[in-house]
Amino acid sequence: MASGYSGKENPDLEESIDVQLQNLIKLIRTKYISSSQSYKPMDLGRKAQFFTLDVITKIAFGEAFGDLERDEDMYKYIQSTEEMLVVIILFSTVPLLSWLISFEWVAKMAFPSGQEATGVGRLIAVAQELIGKRFGSKAVSRQDMIESFIRHGLKEDELISESLLQILAGSDTTATTIRATMLYLMSHPSTYRKLQEEIDEAVRSGRASSPIVKSSEAQELPYLQAVIKEGMRVWPAVTGLMTKVVPPEGDTVVVDGKHMFLPGGTNVGYCAWGVHHRKDVFGEDADAFRPERWLEAKGDKLAYMHKTADLAFGWGKYQCLGKNIAWMELNKVFFELLRNFDFAIVDPTKPWKSENLGLWRQSEEWVEITDRLTS
Ligand code: HEM
C-alpha cells in the first residue's frame, strides 16, 4: 500500500491538503477573528481535528466529511471516538481482550455494526457507501489513493477496513501534534517570534510563493522543521504500549550494549513518554520545548536523536503508513496559521483539557486570534 500513501500514484494528495487548509483559514477569518470591537474565541483543539478529519476523509474516501465547511462535528464522529477511546485502547493493549474479540459474537457486542445513525457506526456506513462506488459495473474511477490500493490488489472489504483504520490512526494523532505544538509556541514567545520571522522572510523573498506553502518549500525552513520535530518529541501523539510479540523461537536483541534473549510470545512495548524525554539522548533540558536542540546537535548525536524521535511513528514493518502525509500536513499548517494569524491562549491557567489514554483525549484549547494580513 506504500505507493498509495506516498503520493506517487495519487498526484492530487498535496492539493487535497491545500483545499482543507484553505477551508480552515476561511473558517477562522470569517468566524473567529477577535478585535477591539469583537471578542470571538475559538476552540483550536476542536478545529485542529476538523482539519485533520477533512484531510483524511478526502484522502481515504475521496470525499471530505465537511467539518470545516459546516463548522460542525459531522456524524458526531469526534464525540463518539472520544467516548470509545478507552475501549479501543483497552482492546488493543490487553492480549486477553484482543483474543476475545476474535470471536464474532463478542466483536458484534463490543463494536458498532454500521447500522447506527451517528459516530463510528455511521462512519462504517459512509465507508461502505463511498468505497462501494469504486466497484461494480458503474465503478467511479479517480487517480487517488483508493484507486492505487485497488490496483495493488485490495478487495472491497479490505478497502473499507483500511479507510476506517486510516481515519482513526491519522486524524487524532495529527490533531494532537497541532494542538500541543501550538500550545508550546503560544507559551514560548521567543520561539513563536523566531518561527514567524522565518515564515515572513520566506514569503518576502519569494521562497514560498503559492497561496498555500508547498511541502517542499516548507522543508527548506530549518527552524520550522526543528519546531515540528520538537513538538512531536516533547508531546508524542501515541503513548500506548503498541506491543509487538516475539516470534515463537525467541529473539536476541541488544539493550544498552548488552545482548538479551527474549522468549517467544513475550509482548514488548515501549514507554513513548520516557523515551522521548530521555536526558542522555536529548540533553539535560529534555523536558523543555526548545527547537534549537535540533539545530545545535551534529553528527552521531544528531543521528541518534533523529532515530529515537522517529519512534513516534513506530518502527520496522509496523511503522506508520501515513508518516509522509502527516509531515505534509504539519509542514503546511504551522506555516499558514502563523503567516495569516496571531494566536494567544484565552486562559493561561487552564490552557486546555488533556487526558492520556494511550492516545490523547483533548479539548477546550480556547484561543484568541487576530488577523495579521488585514489588521
Ligand atoms: C503526527 C501524526 C502521526 C503519528 C505520531 C502516528 C503514529 C503512528 C504509530 C505510532 C503507529 C503504530 C505503529 C505500531 O504499530 O507500532 C501508526 C500506525 C498507522 N498510522 Fe500513523 N501516525 C500519524 C499520522 C498518520 C496519518 C496522517 C495517517 C494516514 C494518512 C496514518 C496512518 C496510519 C496507519 C494506516 C497505521 C497502521 C499501519 C499498519 O498497518 O501497521 N498515521 N501511526
Side-chain angles (χ1 to χ4, degrees):
M1 290 184 299
S3 7
Y5 276 96
S6 73
K8 276 189 211 135
E9 295 188 10
N10 50 336
D12 296 339
L13 178 67
E14 182 154 4
E15 197 198 318
S16 306
I17 299 175
D18 289 358
V19 169
Q20 301 315 324
L21 193 46
Q22 270 158 342
N23 285 343
L24 174 64
I25 294 167
K26 187 169 156 205
L27 176 67
I28 296 177
R29 195 153 269 140
T30 48
K31 279 182 78 175
Y32 296 107
I33 296 295
S34 291
S35 67
S36 50
Q37 285 87 39
S38 67
Y39 177 57
K40 297 177 182 169
M42 181 184 93
D43 180 359
L44 178 62
R46 197 30 71 105
K47 307 307 175 215
Q49 193 153 7
F50 284 3
F51 166 65
T52 57
L53 259 179
D54 277 354
V55 168
I56 295 291
T57 45
K58 172 74 185 147
I59 293 170
F61 294 156
E63 285 174 34
F65 266 5
D67 284 15
L68 289 168
E69 279 183 351
R70 304 276 294 273
D71 197 11
E72 189 186 324
D73 175 18
M74 300 293 286
Y75 316 118
K76 296 205 171 25
Y77 169 78
I78 300 177
Q79 187 189 322
S80 325
T81 38
E82 279 173 357
E83 284 162 13
M84 275 190 68
L85 205 53
V86 178
V87 181
I88 296 172
I89 295 290
L90 254 183
F91 274 81
S92 59
T93 310
V94 181
L96 176 67
L97 293 177
S98 32
W99 172 75
L100 272 178
I101 50 160
S102 62
F103 297 101
E104 211 180 317
W105 63 271
V106 182
K108 273 191 180 148
M109 278 184 357
F111 293 112
S113 65
Q115 306 299 317
E116 296 79 358
T118 55
V120 180
R122 174 79 183 119
L123 183 65
I124 294 172
V126 173
Q128 284 163 342
E129 187 198 321
L130 296 178
I131 302 290
K133 285 186 191 170
R134 303 301 185 94
F135 292 86
S137 55
K138 290 187 186 151
V140 178
S141 175
R142 288 191 201 134
Q143 220 189 345
D144 61 6
M145 186 186 261
I146 304 172
E147 204 66 33
S148 161
F149 288 164
I150 295 173
R151 222 181 358 263
H152 289 275
L154 258 74
K155 304 202 174 53
E156 188 170 348
D157 57 336
E158 291 169 329
L159 258 173
I160 292 170
S161 50
E162 184 60 30
S163 63
L164 292 167
L165 172 69
Q166 243 176 11
I167 292 167
L168 285 170
S171 70
D172 195 76
T173 46
T174 319
T176 292
T177 305
I178 297 173
R179 294 172 189 136
T181 309
M182 284 300 290
L183 183 56
Y184 276 104
L185 282 171
M186 287 182 280
S187 51
H188 290 71
S190 62
T191 312
Y192 185 113
R193 268 197 308 273
K194 204 163 155 182
L195 176 61
Q196 206 167 47
E197 273 160 23
E198 185 179 70
I199 292 167
D200 289 352
E201 171 51 27
V203 175
R204 263 196 309 273
S205 65
R207 285 187 292 139
S209 51
S210 333
I212 297 289
V213 67
K214 293 196 184 83
S215 194
S216 55
E217 292 167 344
Q219 277 164 18
E220 296 301 315
L221 303 182
Y223 201 63
L224 173 64
Q225 298 307 301
V227 164
I228 299 174
K229 281 178 217 164
E230 188 68 348
M232 279 199 272
R233 181 196 71 80
V234 83
W235 202 279
V238 182
T239 54
L241 282 178
M242 313 303 290
T243 49
K244 305 290 176 279
V245 186
V246 178
E249 67 277 16
D251 203 353
T252 301
V253 295
V254 181
V255 180
D256 289 338
K258 290 191 196 112
H259 286 80
M260 181 185 277
F261 179 73
L262 301 175
T266 311
N267 280 279
V268 181
Y270 101 113
C271 170
W273 194 270
V275 166
H276 294 291
H277 288 236
R278 275 180 63 164
K279 294 191 167 120
D280 57 333
V281 181
F282 296 106
E284 272 308 302
D285 61 351
D287 289 334
F289 176 76
R290 198 175 66 83
E292 282 73 11
R293 78 179 77 249
W294 294 98
L295 304 170
E296 292 160 3
K298 301 272 175 298
D300 288 350
K301 163 126 184 96
L302 181 62
Y304 196 43
M305 282 166 62
H306 271 132
K307 213 169 166 185
T308 309
D310 224 23
L311 286 173
F313 288 101
W315 195 251
K317 70 172 177 177
Y318 296 103
Q319 198 184 41
C320 172
L321 280 169
K323 187 177 160 189
N324 291 338
I325 299 178
W327 263 100
M328 205 181 260
E329 287 181 69
L330 297 170
N331 267 326
K332 287 169 182 283
V333 79
F334 297 119
F335 187 104
E336 293 304 336
L337 288 181
L338 266 69
R339 177 213 307 229
N340 284 280
F341 309 110
D342 264 325
F343 293 82
I345 277 287
V346 167
D347 182 352
T349 64
K350 290 190 213 83
W352 63 359
K353 282 190 186 157
S354 180
E355 199 185 350
N356 186 3
L357 304 166
L359 290 169
W360 296 89
R361 192 152 57 185
Q362 296 174 319
S363 60
E364 314 278 324
E365 189 179 9
W366 290 96
V367 294
E368 209 179 295
I369 307 173
T370 46
D371 195 334
R372 293 186 74 215
L373 302 188
T374 57
S375 58

